[in-house]
Amino acid sequence: IRHYGMLVTLDELGPVSQQALTHGMSVSATTVTQMVDDLERVKLVERRRNPSDRRAYTVTMTPEGRRVLAEGRVRAEGLDIEGSAELGPLLRKLVGA
């Protein structure tokens, strides 16, 4: 669920630093690094050196990441869960979206 949350956050913020993801998702820097590593391994995001600050990385969603996110959104819309009105805001808070 957190990986999906990172894709949602990247979709909203665009290419951003790992530090911006930490703030945007309200999770630790260690957690963001682990999630970026995971998503980069399966080619859903790319981590690139920031040309203006070589100490920082910019995280960008790949075309495959955008495809997976779009598919996830379609699947999520099709779920009919009792109590979903209460569940939606709770899940958004959980994933940091």
Side-chain angles (χ1 to χ4, degrees):
I1 191 87
R2 288 188 175 225
H3 293 91
Y4 179 77
M6 179 171 282
L7 294 176
V8 169
T9 302
L10 280 170
D11 188 49
E12 291 174 1
L13 299 178
V16 294
S17 68
Q18 288 185 201
Q19 184 178 19
L21 281 172
T22 298
H23 294 299
M25 296 183 69
S26 300
V27 296
S28 72
T30 301
T31 299
V32 165
T33 300
Q34 291 169 346
M35 287 191 298
V36 170
D37 287 347
D38 293 343
L39 291 172
E40 190 173 40
R41 198 172 302 111
V42 294
K43 303 188 182 328
L44 300 183
V45 301
E46 292 177 327
R47 182 188 287 137
R48 297 182 186 155
R49 289 262 184 213
N50 183 334
S52 61
D53 182 356
R54 297 207 33 97
R55 298 167 296 168
Y57 290 96
T58 299
V59 180
T60 305
M61 196 173 352
T62 64
E64 179 65 4
R66 285 189 286 280
R67 186 195 67 74
V68 167
L69 177 60
E71 183 178 324
R73 285 181 166 153
V74 168
R75 289 181 181 216
E77 288 173 6
L79 296 176
D80 185 23
I81 301 171
E82 186 176 331
S84 62
E86 296 84 17
L87 185 59
L90 179 61
L91 286 173
R92 280 190 289 283
K93 189 171 188 170
L94 177 67
V95 300

